[in-house]
């Protein structure tokens, strides 16, 4: 009889654990996709004027980060145009958000002009292009991917493939979430407005 | 009174944009042909449009040519596991009875070797070569760098 009781108690314990786990998982699902494993991306990259900029100087602001290259006529302008719409839509709150365009093709982008490209979309977008090593380090800390692809028909014989999402970093420097490519500007704006 | 209202509406409405014109050959109709303004000529330009096939036979866009670019090509942006790349597209299928879009984040004309800077508001001719319908020359309008699509009322 006591064995039976023990059995019931054990099953009850298993059930409790299961319920608890399910509850935890449901709770976690409501959080941001990456919030469970939040991390602090870091970077030290030159801006168009050659001055080194680091993640630390932007504490207190939200960062909206996009990795791309200026020779990219399709995905990059589309995303930067959305960032521009978001910044315009924020109105006074725009002061709390710093959009960054980090070049994953820094040498060519420095030659071609980084600021004229970012400014064509919005004056608030800060373009950064470091050395090859600094760029690799920044990408690793953001856990993003980019790769040079040899393509004979492309300008200079290569193109770049790259993570195409927009990343949101919080005022304390923590990764908050990503907006996947094609997320409408209105959606990004609405999400930001709930945070500001 | 009603006529006056119509005349006023016509006067107030912006002049019809080139991007909202339609071009037709046989069963193929092309519209909303547009490009983005460029900074100088160093970087490749882009070309978007909608192609409608009202016929009963499949067709395909197989090449583009334009005096504005030395090396125009067809590309397809693909985003796989969040990673974007844009391989060369040999052909853009235009199946019977369907409309195919060349649009941001998908198929696009890649205008490499621009012969002049693309200024917002300007337009340039592009000759499309279709497998079945043959050649069709259309006009592309250069929209702002921030444009995501032309604003045409009630297209199609
Ligand atoms: Cu392309």
């Amino acid at each position: 009889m006591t064995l039976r009781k023990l059995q019931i108690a054990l099953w009850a314990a298993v059930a409790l654990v299961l319920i608890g786990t399910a509850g935890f998982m449901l709770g976690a699902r409501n959080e941001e996709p990456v919030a469970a494993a939040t991390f602090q991306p870091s970077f030290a990259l030159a801006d168009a004027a050659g001055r080194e900029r680091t993640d630390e100087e932007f504490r207190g602001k939200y960062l909206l980060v996009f990795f791309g290259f200026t020779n990219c006529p399709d995905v990059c302008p589309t995303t930067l145009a959305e960032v521009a719409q978001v910044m315009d839509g924020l109105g006074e709150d725009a002061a709390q958000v710093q959009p960054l365009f980090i070049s994953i093709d820094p040498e060519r982008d420095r030659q071609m002009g980084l600021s004229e490209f970012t400014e064509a979309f919005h004056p608030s977008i800060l373009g950064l292009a470091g050395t090859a090593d600094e760029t690799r380090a920044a990408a690793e800390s953001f856990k993003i991917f980019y790769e040079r692809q040899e393509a004979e028909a492309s300008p200079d014989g290569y193109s770049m493939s790259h993570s195409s999402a927009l990343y949101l970093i919080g005022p304390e420097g923590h990764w908050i979430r990503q907006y996947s490519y094609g997320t409408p500007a209105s959606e990004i704006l609405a999400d930001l407005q709930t945070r500001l | 009174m009603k006529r006056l209202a119509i005349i006023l509406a016509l006067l107030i409405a912006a002049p019809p944009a080139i991007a909202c014109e339609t071009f037709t050959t046989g069963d193929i109709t092309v519209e909303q042909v547009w490009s983005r303004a460029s900074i100088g000529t160093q970087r490749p330009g882009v070309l978007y449009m909608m192609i409608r096939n009202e016929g009963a036979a499949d067709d395909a866009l197989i090449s583009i040519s334009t005096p504005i670019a030395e090396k125009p090509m067809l590309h397809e942006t693909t985003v796989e596991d969040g990673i974007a790349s844009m391989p060369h597209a040999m052909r853009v299928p235009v199946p019977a009875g369907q409309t195919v879009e060349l649009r941001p984040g998908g198929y696009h004309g890649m205008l490499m070797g621009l012969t002049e800077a693309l200024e917002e508001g300007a337009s340039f001719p592009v000759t499309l070569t279709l497998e079945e319908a043959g050649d069709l020359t259309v006009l592309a309008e250069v929209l702002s760098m921030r444009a995501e699509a032309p604003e045409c009322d009630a297209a199609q």
Side-chain angles (χ1 to χ4, degrees):
Chain A
M1 215 45 194
T2 46
L3 187 65
R4 177 89 186 123
K5 266 185 187 159
L6 183 64
Q7 224 170 13
I8 291 170
L10 278 174
W11 278 118
V14 167
L16 273 176
V17 167
L18 281 176
I19 290 167
T21 310
F24 177 77
M25 283 166 76
L26 281 174
R29 193 162 298 171
N30 289 332
E31 296 289 302
E32 304 300 339
V34 212
T38 195
F39 58 100
Q40 258 182 298
S42 65
F43 58 85
L45 302 160
D47 62 18
R51 245 181 334 144
E52 189 185 81
R53 314 295 290 263
T54 69
D55 51 297
E56 273 156 24
E57 73 178 90
F58 299 105
R59 292 292 185 269
K61 281 189 173 190
Y62 283 87
L63 290 178
L64 211 43
V65 185
F66 182 69
F67 288 83
F69 62 118
T70 76
N71 228 355
C72 150
D74 185 44
V75 163
C76 307
T78 306
T79 303
L80 291 181
E82 280 183 1
V83 169
Q85 274 184 49
V86 168
M87 294 310 287
D88 283 347
L90 282 172
E92 278 182 15
D93 288 338
Q96 298 176 57
V97 179
Q98 173 62 57
L100 296 180
F101 174 81
I102 298 182
S103 172
I104 43 103
D105 187 15
E107 198 181 328
R108 185 164 64 174
D109 281 346
R110 268 197 309 272
Q111 282 167 12
M112 293 218 268
L114 198 58
S115 54
E116 57 172 14
F117 183 78
T118 55
E119 278 161 16
F121 294 96
H122 203 275
S124 68
I125 302 172
L126 176 64
L128 300 175
T131 63
D133 286 348
E134 290 164 348
T135 305
R136 185 54 68 192
E140 272 168 18
S141 90
F142 275 84
K143 304 185 182 180
I144 70 110
F145 174 88
Y146 69 92
E147 186 179 59
R148 180 181 160 123
Q149 292 186 318
E150 305 307 318
E152 234 174 84
S154 290
D156 308 320
Y158 72 95
S159 187
M160 304 295 298
S161 62
H162 57 100
S163 297
S164 55
L166 198 57
Y167 308 102
L168 182 66
I169 308 301
E172 273 98 54
H174 291 98
W175 170 284
I176 296 178
R177 63 165 294 178
Q178 66 173 39
Y179 306 99
S180 57
Y181 173 73
T183 304
S186 56
E187 236 172 79
I188 300 172
L189 179 61
D191 179 67
L192 278 176
Q193 278 166 336
T194 64
R195 302 171 191 277
L196 298 175
Chain B
M1 197 55 204
K2 196 177 175 190
R3 188 177 294 171
L4 181 68
I6 292 170
I7 292 169
L8 277 177
L10 285 175
L11 283 175
I12 293 163
I18 285 171
C20 300
E21 277 181 32
T22 55
F23 306 87
T24 301
T25 180
D27 293 322
I28 298 289
T29 298
V30 176
E31 61 191 336
Q32 303 202 13
V33 190
W34 66 285
S35 179
R36 278 200 187 97
S38 72
I39 305 169
T41 57
Q42 280 184 299
R43 301 184 181 92
V46 79
L47 183 72
Y48 300 116
M49 71 192 79
M50 285 170 67
I51 308 173
R52 195 161 69 240
N53 181 354
E54 273 157 3
D58 294 347
D59 208 335
L61 175 63
I62 49 174
S63 79
I64 52 174
S65 68
T66 171
I68 209 89
E70 280 158 13
K71 238 188 342 174
M73 270 177 99
L74 292 168
H75 277 185
E76 183 183 13
T77 293
T78 58
V79 181
E80 251 172 76
D81 297 329
I83 295 153
S85 57
M86 45 172 198
H88 174 52
M90 292 305 288
R91 58 204 290 283
V92 178
V94 189
Q98 289 189 32
T99 299
V100 167
E101 279 186 87
L102 277 69
R103 61 177 168 79
Y107 286 116
H108 57 274
M110 181 94 164
L111 308 178
M112 290 175 289
L114 287 179
T115 53
E116 54 185 283
L118 303 177
E119 306 277 355
E120 185 176 344
S123 59
F124 58 88
V126 182
T127 300
L128 313 176
T129 303
L130 291 126
E131 227 162 45
E132 302 301 326
D135 285 0
L136 172 63
T137 297
V138 301
L139 277 180
E141 181 179 342
V142 181
L143 304 180
S144 117
M145 253 180 114
R146 284 177 56 169
E148 290 181 86
E151 283 166 18
C152 303
D153 23 73
Q156 58 193 56

